[in-house]
Amino acid sequence: MNIFVLLKKTFDTEEKIKINDGQIEEDGAEYIINPYDEYAVEESIIQRDEHGGEVTVVTIGDDESEKQLRTALAMGADKAVLINTDEDLEDGDQSTTVKILESFFDDKEADLIFAGNVAIDESSGQVGPRLAEALDISCVTTITSLKIDGDTASIEKDVEGDVEMVESALPLLVTCQQGLNEPRYPSLPGIMKAKKKPLEELEIDDLDLEEEELEPKTVTIDIFLPPEKGAGKVLEGEVDDQVRELVTLLKDEKKVL
Ligand SMILES: Cc1cc2nc3c(=O)[nH]c(=O)nc-3n(C[C@H](O)[C@H](O)[C@H](O)COP(=O)(O)OP(=O)(O)OC[C@H]3O[C@@H](n4cnc5c(N)ncnc54)[C@H](O)[C@@H]3O)c2cc1C
């Protein structure tokens, strides 16, 4: 089976994020594999081990993205491709990303493409479904279980906490949701092996794309942190009095009742 994983490098939202002039400061930011893409890498390895074939992890990124690709290789992926846009493109949005990926997949004959449900930084959840549409293949989002039998995939997907069961023919693109699996940590032998696994680097010029196709269709106007939360208020006294005060505060101060 010819399996691909779309992997995005994101900044670690558990770390302190600094914003300067409407842009996230890259200096000092910690970068990780988008957590939903870890489920994607894990599932690709599970499916390859069961059905045979090869897992290729693909990212559109910069020189620094090699680190996340090597981690995916250390987890067990077979090959990695870095489409490095650093030199060629300054601006891009989901449309740019999908155009680049569409061109990359043109001659790949993928059976299965795994993406994350959403990237934790920009969170549009667009890349997977848009790519499936561009490649004219089926797409199932937020999957929590995947069984493949021949050319048919039986899938469970998360629908706001409920489960929907879907069947689809391959080729197929799925986006991965928490609960699908427990991503493994790279083992020491895995890390050693990953150093020797193939990591191909492509540039925009290597793909069959016109400059106009890559122009972003959206503009990010501003990025800002949420306002600092004020201190909480502790109500005191008898419970009845506390309830009365709470209702008054919700009505008059917060205006939510
Ligand atoms: C050349 C270029 C320049 C850019 N410049 C800017 C900029 O100046 N400012 C800015 O804010 N953003 C920039 N971006 C990022 C872009 O706006 C989005 O972050 C990107 O298109 C993905 O959208 P998302 O984060 O909403 O992902 P989602 O659609 O939420 O991601 C879902 C899944 O899609 C896959 N995916 C997403 N992104 C990638 C990727 N890069 N490679 C492989 N798989 C991926 C992953 O599997 C991910 O889990 C640029 C992108 C490109 C290609």
Side-chain angles (χ1 to χ4, degrees):
M1 201 158 11
N2 199 8
I3 306 173
F4 289 83
V5 180
L6 309 180
L7 182 144
K8 186 181 185 190
K9 176 187 86 172
T10 59
F11 50 80
D12 189 348
T13 48
E14 301 284 315
E15 298 288 325
K16 201 157 177 55
I17 292 164
K18 286 199 199 124
I19 295 189
N20 202 348
D21 245 350
Q23 291 294 325
I24 291 159
E25 265 189 29
E26 302 222 339
D27 278 353
E30 285 292 321
Y31 286 94
I32 55 169
I33 296 177
N34 179 42
Y36 292 99
D37 303 353
E38 290 186 348
Y39 300 122
V41 175
E42 178 64 35
E43 195 61 26
S44 69
I45 297 165
I46 292 172
Q47 297 297 337
R48 180 212 48 206
D49 290 350
E50 199 172 329
H51 302 285
E54 190 172 71
V55 172
T56 307
V57 185
V58 187
T59 196
I60 302 171
D62 52 27
D63 295 339
E64 309 300 317
S65 309
E66 188 175 330
K67 191 171 160 213
Q68 286 73 32
L69 289 175
R70 289 281 173 210
T71 304
L73 292 171
M75 285 171 78
D78 301 291
K79 296 195 300 191
V81 179
L82 165 59
I83 305 174
N84 194 333
T85 55
D86 231 11
E87 299 282 304
D88 307 320
L89 285 174
E90 286 234 326
D91 300 319
D93 65 359
Q94 289 76 8
S95 168
T96 320
T97 300
V98 171
K99 279 283 171 207
I100 296 170
L101 289 172
E102 181 186 357
S103 172
F104 169 77
F105 278 103
D106 192 38
D107 58 354
K108 297 294 179 292
E109 297 193 5
D111 297 304
L112 254 178
I113 304 176
F114 289 93
N117 159 39
V118 77
I120 58 163
D121 50 3
E122 285 168 78
S123 302
S124 73
Q126 291 190 25
V127 170
R130 284 175 77 149
L131 179 64
E133 177 68 18
L135 299 177
D136 197 20
I137 61 172
S138 308
C139 175
V140 184
T141 53
T142 58
I143 74 157
T144 51
S145 166
L146 175 66
K147 303 262 175 305
I148 294 173
D149 187 7
D151 271 349
T152 308
S154 303
I155 296 163
E156 289 183 9
K157 72 177 246 101
D158 172 44
V159 196
E160 301 263 324
D162 285 333
V163 179
E164 192 172 287
M165 293 163 90
V166 184
E167 230 175 59
S168 170
L170 303 184
L172 168 70
L173 185 150
V174 290
T175 74
C176 301
Q177 171 68 311
Q178 188 172 12
L180 175 63
N181 52 44
E182 204 51 59
R184 69 194 71 190
Y185 288 104
S187 63
L188 193 56
I191 295 168
M192 301 310 286
K193 269 195 214 155
K195 292 183 181 161
K196 295 199 178 119
K197 287 185 180 174
L199 192 153
E200 184 186 5
E201 193 165 330
L202 298 175
E203 291 175 6
I204 293 297
D205 283 351
D206 298 318
L207 301 167
D208 185 19
L209 286 162
E210 300 296 326
E211 218 173 287
E212 312 80 72
E213 292 181 272
L214 297 175
E215 274 173 21
K217 306 259 188 299
T218 53
V219 181
T220 302
I221 296 169
D222 199 3
I223 296 178
F224 50 89
L225 293 171
E228 296 245 337
K229 276 194 187 155
K233 188 167 191 162
V234 178
L235 305 181
E236 283 171 1
E238 295 297 316
V239 173
D240 284 0
D241 296 336
Q242 286 188 37
V243 171
R244 251 188 299 279
E245 192 183 347
L246 179 63
V247 172
T248 311
L249 287 170
L250 291 173
K251 239 186 198 163
D252 300 344
E253 213 169 273
K254 293 289 169 201
K255 305 205 184 310
V256 292
L257 292 181

